[in-house]
Amino acid sequence: MAKNLVIVESPAKAKTIEGFLGEDFVVRSSFGHIRDLAKKGLAVDLEHNFIPTYEISPDKEKVVGELRKIAKSAGTVWLATDEDREGEAISWHLAEALGLDIKTTKRIVFHEITKNAIQAAIANPRTIDKHLVDAQQARRILDRLVGFELSPILWKKIKPSLSAGRVQSVAVRLIVEREREVQNFKSVAFFKVAALFSTAGKELKAELNKKFTGIEEARTFLEKCIGSDFTISNLETKPAKKSPAAPFTTSTLQQEASRKLGFSVAQTMTVAQRLYESGKITYMRTDSVNLSDTAIEQAKTEISKNYGEKYVHIRKYKTKSKGAQEAHEAIRPSYLENQSVTGERNEERLYELIWKRTIASQMADAELEKTTATISVSKAEEKFVAQGEVLKFDGFLKVYLESSDEEDTDEEQEGMLPPLKTGEKLGMNEITATQRFTHHPARFTEASLVKKLEELGIGRPSTYAPTISTIQKREYVIKEDRDGVRRNFAVLSLKDSTIQEEQREEGTGAEKSKMFPTDIGMVVTDFLILHFPVVLDYQFTAKVEDEFDTVAEGKLSWQQMLKEFYKPFHQSVEKTLETSERASGERLLGKDPASGKNLYVRIGRFGPLAQIGESDDEVKKFASLRKGQLLESITLAEALDLFKLPRVAGQFEEKDMIVAIGRFGPYIKFDSKFISLRKEDDPMTVSAERCRELIELKRIADIEKYIKSFPENPEVHILKGRWGAYLAIGKNNFKLPKGTEPTTLTLEDCLGIADKAGYGNKARAVIEKKTPAPKAAAKKTAAKKAPVKKAMPAKAAVKKAAPKKAAKKAAKKAK
């Protein structure tokens, strides 16, 4: 019998902690949440103060059973789930499911998985904090109420299978509004003037302190420069400094990992979770920038040892984010003496980033000297300005410099200026006036969206990654790269008293890993803003987060909070169901020249489409919009092009290769099979040769997909997937257990995998449905072999007789 049972969320965390505790302790994992609101119905009793109905997840019943068995025989149970609200709720659900006394069960928390931290937690247990549980419970119930009541409205008023959520819908609104800013932005051209001067054999770059709106204005200035003297009219030198950024919070780690490492928000959290569970970093869901005294001492030691005493500058940072949650520590290495760790490559990279940021936060400022030289033009009022920067002491820059989301590609790094003195005349080598264009607001990346959500007080460290993943999974938003376009720009250059004009070409508008709203995302957002302005309001969403914080502090009843929200919300739901019109984002683009009928674009059952003809016309034509086309911006000409599909690209093996666009994008239909076109293939122009190539590649991929099949049942296969081998039984797919050799699996092994996933009976039903019973099979074989004169056609036989009677008749004839 184990004297002590410690329960944590993950097996990796359990393994790390078990190494720090003696043989009197057994550490087990709950594998995350074990209970949630029941899937059937609302699962919230609106008549009795929002009492929720929880159920143990089917895939966790075995886990709970095992934990219950060990808990009964253990002397003491320690609940050691994560220290935030989500972790507190898991501990409470465990206590409820295992039948533990909530008032006496020991709850321990720690923000790092080190021996000292674990032993300190064991020495200072507490009980479950019901206020934190209530805050999480309020969030979960509120989100269920919003989703449960809004989603059916979207199914009825827009299209089936849509969903809405309290935070996700606000995040989509941010992206939709930014996209409209971009679409409505009118770029304005201007001319930026730069000069290259010479002094004592050295070059000096400078920019004019004025921008010109037109080419003639720029030309006039260059004409004034011909024969002008260029003189240093003022020199100003002053000291400057740069200070390091604070240690990482969840949001700043997500932003910086995106900028420096190219990680998605979800990827950052997955890698950080592994580092935390293996004891390498502190807890990764936090909005605190505070470092413990122990961590500061470790940092001081490391900086002194590696860089010297003059690089040490101890700092205490204060959290600035709106509505910061529990005062945890910032994200930092558990042991600062470890500059690196061994592990998976992304773990090593993220750890290095965290180590550098933590160390830099306790280092001295970088000291600079900035020099500004003003250069007058004898025949013009405008002045040139040259700026230089000298790094006097690198300080924290020796280790780390924070990245930025800014997209100003024209900005150059300032260098050191040559020796200059006031009144000095400069030689003019060249002056160039280059046409530039104002740039639309930047579209959101995952990182900049997290930053915006945090600024608005929407969501918390535990919700950023799930929110961003959800809006992409539900196809309200897509994250992708998009190619830019080519544009011409004018350049005027003055050299040797001659002005020359030329046209140059550049690429513009290319986007990398940016977030774009889909048509359905835009239509849903407009509908919700129209009918549920409060739910979609940024300030209201932030206010709700503040109320969760107040519940967590024990200053507000969670039932009271829900009551105040639900009554007006439910009234809006009922009113919208009764009075609102269907929303499809429909736009009339013009008339189809061939038929003279109106051409519309709108949301259809399977997504955005173009339609020729009215809704009540007997004969209408439809075509799906292409990727990247929006209902709001597509032109009549672009929509007419869509009706050129489907088209026959050519023949292969004496069969037509038909190119079209469907629900899932452009494809080739060949011999009753569908082959997707690649991203680089344009359905309007893809050649017959390319279609044949794609068909052959698909054939090869289909052959290679099958790792193992079972002759005794054609419904069961081991297949090669994008992320490795998996099991397919009918239309159900199952992960293979870690370390499984796919080729060695038997049919019974496959059923065992389905059993463990909670789908064993369903899988058996599929197999039994497809596999004929042995006797019936024998009778069918006999019936096939026996000569039957004037036999009724098989289909007719099935129609006229029940299956059993048909089998008996066939057997009788065979005899």
Side-chain angles (χ1 to χ4, degrees):
M1 180 184 94
K3 289 182 182 178
N4 296 277
L5 169 64
V6 179
I7 304 176
V8 297
E9 294 102 325
S10 77
K13 190 174 170 183
K15 188 178 178 183
T16 308
I17 291 173
E18 203 160 34
F20 299 136
L21 298 171
E23 56 186 23
D24 289 340
F25 287 82
V26 170
V27 186
R28 290 289 182 268
S29 167
S30 69
F31 295 87
H33 279 277
I34 58 159
R35 291 202 315 175
D36 196 7
L37 292 172
K39 287 189 177 179
K40 279 192 176 180
L42 180 60
V44 179
D45 191 341
L46 301 173
E47 302 298 321
H48 296 90
N49 221 10
F50 302 96
I51 298 300
T53 300
Y54 291 109
E55 65 180 10
I56 294 171
S57 309
D59 59 330
K60 294 295 171 67
E61 285 176 358
K62 190 176 178 182
V63 172
V64 171
E66 288 172 357
L67 290 174
R68 198 177 281 144
K69 187 178 176 182
I70 301 169
K72 277 183 182 177
S73 62
T76 306
V77 177
W78 306 75
L79 300 175
T81 51
D82 290 341
E83 59 179 335
D84 57 8
R85 296 172 195 171
E86 208 72 22
E88 204 73 20
I90 292 174
S91 277
W92 178 73
H93 282 297
L94 280 166
E96 291 275 310
L98 304 182
L100 306 176
D101 186 344
I102 289 170
K103 292 179 181 176
T104 58
T105 298
K106 293 184 177 181
R107 168 85 171 109
I108 57 172
V109 293
F110 37 84
H111 61 266
E112 61 182 359
I113 304 176
T114 60
K115 189 169 185 176
N116 288 343
I118 301 302
Q119 289 177 346
I122 293 285
N124 298 281
R126 59 170 173 83
T127 54
I128 291 170
D129 187 335
K130 194 61 169 58
H131 296 316
L132 293 181
V133 174
D134 287 345
Q136 189 275 344
Q137 192 166 229
R139 178 190 291 278
R140 185 70 189 92
I141 292 171
L142 184 59
D143 288 347
R144 171 62 70 94
L145 291 172
V146 171
F148 195 85
E149 299 220 356
L150 284 188
S151 298
I153 294 176
L154 299 182
W155 304 342
K156 188 175 179 181
K157 301 295 182 178
I158 302 177
K159 77 186 267 290
S161 303
L162 296 177
S163 69
R166 185 181 55 83
V167 177
Q168 76 174 52
S169 297
V170 175
V172 175
R173 178 183 178 178
L174 281 169
I175 294 164
V176 167
E177 288 182 345
R178 178 60 56 87
E179 186 63 29
R180 285 182 174 144
E181 283 181 59
V182 172
Q183 297 293 341
N184 296 329
F185 184 82
K186 303 296 180 191
S187 185
V188 177
F190 62 92
F191 281 81
K192 183 178 179 180
V193 181
L196 189 62
F197 299 108
S198 61
T199 173
K202 293 186 177 179
E203 289 186 339
L204 174 66
K205 292 179 182 176
E207 283 191 8
L208 198 68
N209 61 358
K210 179 183 176 181
K211 292 178 173 64
F212 299 112
T213 54
I215 193 167
E216 290 309 316
E217 200 179 343
R219 192 191 304 277
T220 301
F221 172 75
L222 292 186
E223 287 169 350
K224 289 179 185 177
C225 289
I226 297 172
S228 282
D229 292 328
F230 301 92
T231 310
I232 302 287
S233 57
N234 188 50
L235 265 178
E236 186 181 2
T237 301
K238 58 182 180 181
K241 67 175 185 177
K242 283 183 182 176
S243 298
F248 282 130
T249 62
T250 302
S251 69
T252 54
L253 177 64
Q254 289 168 342
Q255 291 165 50
E256 196 72 340
S258 173
R259 299 178 195 124
K260 278 186 157 58
L261 307 178
F263 287 4
S264 69
V265 167
Q267 184 183 10
T268 299
M269 295 312 291
T270 301
V271 177
Q273 179 106 21
R274 290 202 298 265
L275 288 171
Y276 166 66
E277 290 174 349
S278 58
K280 290 166 185 168
I281 64 168
T282 54
Y283 190 53
M284 67 287 156
R285 292 189 187 94
T286 177
D287 34 27
S288 171
V289 291
N290 180 49
L291 291 178
S292 68
D293 292 340
T294 305
I296 288 173
E297 279 302 312
Q298 285 182 16
K300 184 179 177 181
T301 303
E302 284 303 303
I303 296 164
S304 300
K305 184 176 75 176
N306 294 319
Y307 311 109
E309 290 287 339
K310 65 179 181 178
Y311 282 90
V312 176
H313 183 143
I314 301 305
R315 290 177 170 84
K316 289 275 189 181
Y317 293 90
K318 287 187 179 178
T319 302
K320 294 178 183 177
S321 66
K322 188 177 177 181
Q325 212 169 283
E326 297 83 6
H328 304 144
E329 242 194 296
I331 302 167
R332 63 165 176 84
S334 301
Y335 307 98
L336 278 164
E337 61 267 31
N338 296 333
Q339 291 192 25
S340 60
V341 293
T342 53
E344 190 262 327
R345 175 65 182 139
N346 284 341
E347 290 176 24
E348 292 176 355
R349 294 170 72 206
L350 190 64
Y351 179 88
E352 184 183 1
L353 189 68
I354 294 167
W355 185 89
K356 285 181 175 179
R357 176 81 163 223
T358 308
I359 288 289
S361 74
Q362 301 304 313
M363 290 179 74
D365 293 336
E367 295 173 10
L368 308 143
E369 187 178 81
K370 287 201 168 190
T371 302
T372 303
T374 306
I375 303 160
S376 60
V377 184
S378 60
K379 293 183 181 180
E381 293 178 3
E382 295 84 1
K383 297 179 187 298
F384 284 98
V385 176
Q387 290 186 319
E389 188 176 271
V390 178
L391 185 64
K392 294 288 189 179
F393 173 61
D394 54 3
F396 77 94
L397 293 177
K398 200 170 192 74
V399 174
Y400 180 84
L401 177 62
E402 186 179 29
S403 297
S404 167
D405 286 319
E406 297 303 315
E407 297 188 347
D408 187 357
T409 53
D410 293 334
E411 191 175 310
E412 290 183 13
Q413 189 77 27
E414 290 179 354
M416 191 174 168
L417 297 182
L420 299 169
K421 57 186 178 183
T422 305
E424 180 182 352
K425 282 191 166 47
L426 304 173
M428 188 274 284
N429 295 342
E430 185 177 15
I431 300 176
T432 307
T434 306
Q435 188 178 29
R436 298 287 80 206
F437 304 86
T438 54
H439 195 268
H440 61 69
R443 289 182 173 94
F444 286 110
T445 61
E446 286 192 357
S448 60
L449 181 60
V450 166
K451 187 177 181 181
K452 187 66 176 178
L453 289 170
E454 187 179 39
E455 284 172 2
L456 293 171
I458 297 168
R460 289 295 181 262
S462 60
T463 65
Y464 299 137
T467 297
I468 288 171
S469 296
T470 298
I471 62 177
Q472 291 178 71
K473 281 177 189 168
R474 291 180 176 164
E475 297 183 353
Y476 291 147
V477 168
I478 52 172
K479 183 180 80 169
E480 63 182 8
D481 300 345
R482 288 194 181 173
D483 295 332
V485 294
R486 305 299 295 174
R487 75 175 170 200
N488 293 325
F489 65 100
V491 178
L492 295 174
S493 56
L494 168 62
K495 196 172 185 180
D496 299 329
S497 300
T498 304
I499 298 172
Q500 289 188 328
E501 180 182 344
E502 62 176 313
Q503 290 289 319
R504 296 180 187 172
E505 191 182 60
E506 65 182 353
T508 183
E511 302 279 23
K512 185 168 178 61
S513 296
K514 292 296 176 67
M515 305 192 81
F516 299 86
T518 61
D519 278 314
I520 197 69
M522 297 176 98
V523 170
V524 167
T525 297
D526 291 343
F527 180 85
L528 292 175
I529 289 173
L530 180 63
H531 298 289
F532 299 93
V534 173
V535 178
L536 268 283
D537 182 72
Y538 299 132
Q539 289 182 335
F540 171 77
T541 310
K543 177 176 166 282
V544 170
E545 294 292 347
D546 291 340
E547 287 180 348
F548 289 146
D549 295 341
T550 311
V551 171
E553 292 164 7
K555 296 176 183 176
L556 176 65
S557 158
W558 67 274
Q559 284 106 331
Q560 182 61 33
M561 176 201 169
L562 292 174
K563 188 177 179 182
E564 289 172 5
F565 167 81
Y566 183 70
K567 190 176 178 182
F569 168 69
H570 185 65
Q571 287 171 349
S572 297
V573 168
E574 289 183 325
K575 183 183 175 185
T576 304
L577 278 169
E578 288 174 18
T579 63
S580 66
E581 299 289 326
R582 280 189 63 85
S584 65
E586 185 175 278
R587 274 180 69 219
L588 173 62
L589 299 184
K591 290 193 179 290
D592 168 35
S595 65
K597 291 183 177 181
N598 285 336
L599 194 158
Y600 300 91
V601 285
R602 63 178 178 85
I603 293 290
R605 188 177 175 189
F606 299 114
L609 55 83
Q611 172 184 314
I612 294 175
E614 305 301 324
S615 296
D616 54 0
D617 287 356
E618 281 188 26
V619 180
K620 298 183 287 290
K621 284 185 179 179
F622 300 96
S624 296
L625 265 60
R626 296 178 63 182
K627 190 176 179 181
Q629 290 180 327
L630 288 175
L631 296 178
E632 292 189 2
S633 56
I634 189 172
T635 64
L636 177 63
E638 289 168 340
L640 286 168
D641 276 346
L642 298 173
F643 290 93
K644 293 176 182 176
L645 298 175
R647 68 180 181 88
V648 177
Q651 284 206 325
F652 182 44
E653 297 173 351
E654 299 182 354
K655 297 183 184 76
D656 286 343
M657 298 181 291
I658 300 166
V659 179
I661 297 176
R663 184 182 175 187
F664 303 109
Y667 64 89
I668 306 160
K669 185 181 177 184
F670 173 74
D671 195 20
S672 302
K673 291 184 175 64
F674 298 89
I675 299 97
S676 294
L677 291 181
R678 302 286 170 86
K679 189 178 179 181
E680 62 271 20
D681 297 315
D682 185 339
M684 297 293 182
T685 58
V686 66
S687 66
E689 185 182 351
R690 175 61 174 160
C691 289
R692 285 192 287 270
E693 181 188 346
L694 290 171
I695 291 165
E696 293 286 17
L697 288 170
K698 174 71 172 148
R699 285 173 173 174
I700 294 166
D702 285 346
I703 293 166
E704 291 176 348
K705 185 171 80 171
Y706 288 87
I707 296 172
K708 187 172 185 179
S709 296
F710 298 89
E712 60 267 42
N713 194 283
E715 287 295 301
V716 184
H717 304 283
I718 311 293
L719 303 176
K720 186 189 291 181
R722 189 176 173 186
W723 291 284
Y726 67 96
L727 166 65
I729 301 178
K731 293 182 179 179
N732 300 302
N733 297 332
F734 306 92
K735 279 184 181 178
L736 299 184
K738 203 171 181 180
T740 301
E741 174 49 55
T743 55
T744 63
L745 290 172
T746 63
L747 188 58
E748 275 308 308
D749 292 336
C750 294
L751 288 172
I753 291 168
D755 278 331
K756 284 182 181 176
Y759 288 89
N761 292 336
K762 196 173 180 182
R764 282 182 173 80
V766 170
I767 288 172
E768 285 165 11
K769 191 176 178 182
K770 295 286 180 180
T771 308
K775 285 184 182 179
K779 287 176 182 178
K780 281 183 182 177
T781 307
K784 279 182 185 176
K785 285 182 181 178
V788 180
K789 291 180 183 179
K790 295 180 183 179
M792 195 183 294
K795 285 184 182 177
V798 172
K799 283 181 184 177
K800 286 201 171 188
K804 285 184 180 178
K805 287 182 180 178
K808 281 182 182 177
K809 281 185 180 180
K812 204 172 183 181
K813 283 182 181 178
K815 282 179 183 178

